[in-house]
Amino acid sequence: MEKKKEYLIELTNKINRTIKHSSSFTYVYETLSLDKFKLNVKYNYDETIKRCVELKNLLNKITSIVFKPHIKASTNEVILRSEFASSLSNQSFNDTLKDSKLWKNKNGVMTPEYVHSIEFIDSIDTYENRFISLLITLIEDEVEYMLSNIFPLVESIEEHFEVNGITYGEHSLFKEFSRLDYPYNDVFKKEKGNPNKVYTLVRRLLKRVKQLKNTEFFKITHKYIDKNIIPTNILIHDELYSYCFRFYKANYLNVVTLSSMNEYYYNYCLLCFFKYLSSLNIAKTAKSNNATLRIDASNRLRFDDISFKKGMFSYLIKEDQENLGFFMEVRLIEKAIRTNTKVGEERIARYYFLTSKTYSKENEVSINKEIENKKLEFNNVILLTQNNIVRNFSSVLTLSIYKDNHDLLFKNLLSSLSMLFKTDTMIFEAKCPVCGSSDLTYDGFTYKCSKCGSTYSLLNIDNEDILWVKSFRR
């Protein structure tokens, strides 16, 4: 959950102002080349600590309410066995006298076997308590969002090197360790602001929220309530409820949800990519020069097709009009100048880039399902995310607003799409060059390994056997 002044939102607002001046891709491209867009920021640890204190105080108020909430007293007319009934009201006595079905003859005497009675019911399922449960949910969303932002700043060894597990061969990460002073430095970086302290504070808040969600209070009162809360007498005059209501109005009435932030993060990814292209002074083709940009009603950056040439390859980028992603077609055109030069299918690879601000347990299943569906159409699917909480590094590019490594990431990304090797291609007609498996399929253009999912083509360029690895483990 974000406030309106959040960096990604401000960045999109700045894009929109730039586009209003000129919607041409060329103009935005030139603006990026002049470094007029700031594409990384420092994490504000002090601000997060201050916010944690505010939320802690709020949770203290909520905890007091949960253990001593306002209740709603109501009555309900019931029929009870006479021996279980307490004293009867005048109305209950008259109703019992009139109801012959309740009377029974005992030894010639008519006595009431059952009587009308009034049952008094106390309930915590009130409008005000439903509001408190809504507030608990909103706090949870905010704390989880805070945690997702701080999480990548407290790196583990595997996150630092983006590997799962340790190997011991020539190319293991111990080769990287050998370049560092011992005890190893620059792995667990000491940043100003103490991210470990902030991480601990946020974790404690999340634990408290989870405990509140496990109470009977929350289970009973967690029901739908319109977010335009009506200020009742209790919400205005009760000290605890009033504190919560005022906090809600000040912090949660005008917010952007985490799902909406994905639109802004998608825009950020595109800008970082365009910025990298501008640093190389490429993407000035006729198609790109005719392209325009716009921000749609959902605050998503829309763009026309863009193409560029780098080395022996041409690249065509198209937006996915339905999902937050874009397509890239890569062609091996060698010395040709036109980016749309016709080549055989074995010289073409297609990729899909999916964006999600956070890759976590909550959305891991849905993202993985979408990736698997896209793999049926593309050589590979690459996920761009700021917060790789599930620590899956295969075909995942962690693009963070808090890190200044965007150019390196996109440089390595484009390198991974254009990997050519001189080799004896006959070997790899029966053996996967990535994992070594012989379980291969071939459609006449591209080989695919059934074990690791890698795809590749065997080519002849300038009378030399060339292996093009189009995708690694998928």
Side-chain angles (χ1 to χ4, degrees):
M1 183 153 312
E2 291 292 320
K3 293 183 179 180
K4 285 289 185 182
K5 63 181 181 181
E6 209 274 350
Y7 164 76
L8 289 176
I9 300 175
E10 283 300 310
L11 181 63
T12 292
N13 292 338
K14 187 172 183 178
I15 300 170
N16 204 13
R17 291 193 295 269
T18 303
I19 291 173
K20 285 181 179 179
H21 185 274
S22 174
S23 63
S24 73
F25 172 76
T26 301
Y27 179 76
V28 175
Y29 178 93
E30 295 295 340
T31 303
L32 287 167
S33 68
L34 296 174
D35 289 328
K36 292 188 176 181
F37 285 91
K38 186 179 181 182
L39 297 179
N40 64 290
V41 292
K42 288 186 178 180
Y43 189 91
N44 194 327
Y45 296 100
D46 292 337
E47 186 178 284
T48 302
I49 292 174
K50 181 181 177 182
R51 185 61 174 174
C52 286
V53 172
E54 292 175 355
L55 292 175
K56 180 182 177 182
N57 292 336
L58 177 62
L59 288 173
N60 288 340
K61 306 290 185 183
I62 292 176
T63 300
S64 297
I65 290 173
V66 167
F67 288 102
K68 195 175 181 181
H70 270 274
I71 61 174
K72 175 177 64 178
S74 60
T75 59
N76 184 35
E77 186 175 322
V78 294
I79 297 176
L80 300 175
R81 291 187 65 88
S82 56
E83 59 265 32
F84 296 137
S86 59
S87 60
L88 302 183
S89 66
N90 290 335
Q91 184 63 44
S92 297
F93 181 76
N94 290 330
D95 290 340
T96 302
L97 285 176
K98 296 175 183 178
D99 195 345
S100 60
K101 298 191 299 297
L102 306 182
W103 294 75
K104 186 176 183 180
N105 190 328
K106 289 185 178 180
N107 301 321
V109 179
M110 296 298 294
T111 58
E113 184 177 16
Y114 294 89
V115 296
H116 284 270
S117 182
I118 299 297
E119 182 181 49
F120 293 93
I121 302 172
D122 290 336
S123 174
I124 62 172
D125 187 14
T126 66
Y127 180 82
E128 292 81 7
N129 290 335
R130 289 189 183 188
F131 159 70
I132 295 299
S133 285
L134 168 65
L135 189 55
I136 292 171
T137 302
L138 292 172
I139 296 170
E140 180 185 41
D141 290 343
E142 180 178 358
V143 173
E144 286 186 338
Y145 184 81
M146 291 166 61
L147 187 63
S148 72
N149 278 332
I150 192 68
F151 189 88
L153 302 178
V154 186
E155 288 187 330
S156 65
I157 293 175
E158 290 187 347
E159 287 165 338
H160 181 81
F161 291 101
E162 295 189 340
V163 295
N164 292 114
I166 292 178
T167 59
Y168 306 96
E170 181 182 353
H171 305 290
S172 76
L173 59 81
F174 287 105
K175 189 173 184 179
E176 298 295 326
F177 283 151
S178 66
R179 297 170 182 162
L180 305 175
D181 293 334
Y182 186 81
Y184 304 124
N185 62 351
D186 291 332
V187 176
F188 299 109
K189 295 182 179 179
K190 295 181 179 180
E191 296 190 37
K192 293 181 179 179
N194 198 343
N196 295 297
K197 177 182 177 181
V198 175
Y199 181 74
T200 301
L201 286 174
V202 176
R203 289 285 298 177
R204 287 175 181 170
L205 286 177
L206 186 59
K207 183 178 179 181
R208 286 196 63 184
V209 173
K210 298 294 185 185
Q211 289 172 342
L212 287 171
K213 290 187 69 176
N214 283 328
T215 60
E216 285 299 313
F217 175 93
F218 184 85
K219 293 174 182 177
I220 293 172
T221 62
H222 180 50
K223 298 176 182 177
Y224 172 77
I225 183 173
D226 192 291
K227 292 187 177 181
N228 293 314
I229 301 300
I230 301 170
T232 65
N233 284 332
I234 293 175
L235 293 181
I236 294 174
H237 299 297
D238 183 281
E239 182 181 354
L240 295 175
Y241 284 84
S242 178
Y243 183 94
C244 295
F245 181 55
R246 285 184 278 110
F247 191 97
Y248 173 81
K249 288 197 300 180
N251 292 270
Y252 295 123
L253 269 183
N254 298 308
V255 296
V256 179
T257 61
L258 182 57
S259 59
S260 299
M261 287 303 300
N262 283 329
E263 314 276 352
Y264 297 102
Y265 181 70
Y266 169 83
N267 300 344
Y268 174 77
C269 292
L270 285 178
L271 272 192
C272 289
F273 185 46
F274 295 159
K275 173 70 166 59
Y276 173 67
L277 298 181
S278 72
S279 70
L280 300 179
N281 199 30
I282 56 179
K284 290 186 175 181
T285 61
K287 182 178 286 293
S288 298
N289 290 338
N290 291 327
T292 60
L293 305 176
R294 71 184 189 281
I295 300 292
D296 68 10
S298 64
N299 292 308
R300 174 181 173 175
L301 178 60
R302 298 286 184 173
F303 66 96
D304 298 326
D305 296 355
I306 295 165
S307 65
F308 62 94
K309 185 176 187 292
K310 185 176 185 293
M312 301 171 66
F313 293 85
S314 70
Y315 302 81
L316 175 65
I317 307 169
K318 295 184 176 185
E319 72 169 29
D320 183 344
Q321 296 186 359
E322 296 182 0
N323 304 303
L324 293 176
F326 57 93
F327 314 99
M328 182 183 291
E329 182 181 272
V330 181
R331 294 187 176 210
L332 178 54
I333 61 173
E334 299 183 46
K335 299 176 182 179
I337 297 176
R338 295 177 62 87
T339 56
N340 62 347
T341 299
K342 291 185 177 180
V343 294
E345 191 65 27
E346 71 278 1
R347 291 174 176 248
I348 298 176
R350 298 176 179 87
Y351 304 94
Y352 185 84
F353 295 85
L354 176 68
T355 67
S356 177
K357 190 171 188 297
T358 298
Y359 186 26
S360 62
K361 291 181 179 179
E362 285 71 25
N363 63 5
E364 181 182 11
V365 173
S366 60
I367 287 179
N368 289 348
K369 183 178 180 180
E370 187 170 356
I371 289 174
E372 290 303 315
N373 290 336
K374 293 294 185 184
K375 283 180 179 179
L376 300 176
E377 307 174 51
F378 299 92
N379 290 92
N380 202 6
V381 180
I382 298 167
L383 174 66
L384 283 74
T385 184
Q386 174 169 296
N387 306 318
N388 185 2
I389 296 176
V390 298
R391 298 190 299 112
N392 176 9
F393 306 110
S394 178
S395 296
V396 176
L397 189 151
T398 304
L399 190 69
S400 173
I401 64 175
Y402 302 117
K403 295 185 178 181
D404 188 18
N405 62 348
H406 307 151
D407 285 353
L408 174 63
L409 293 175
F410 283 112
K411 176 184 177 181
N412 292 340
L413 172 64
L414 290 184
S415 296
S416 73
L417 309 182
S418 56
M419 298 198 70
L420 301 180
F421 300 87
K422 291 182 179 181
T423 183
D424 182 353
T425 55
M426 289 184 62
I427 296 174
F428 299 113
E429 290 178 1
K431 179 180 180 179
C432 172
V434 176
C435 73
S437 172
S438 59
D439 189 3
L440 306 174
T441 59
Y442 179 57
D443 62 5
F445 306 104
T446 301
Y447 290 86
K448 180 178 179 181
C449 177
S450 300
K451 182 177 180 180
C452 71
S454 300
T455 60
Y456 61 96
S457 289
L458 304 177
L459 310 169
N460 186 279
I461 300 177
D462 294 333
N463 295 319
E464 286 193 274
D465 288 342
I466 298 295
L467 163 69
W468 179 15
V469 178
K470 296 179 176 180
S471 66
F472 284 80
R473 292 180 178 273
R474 305 196 305 157

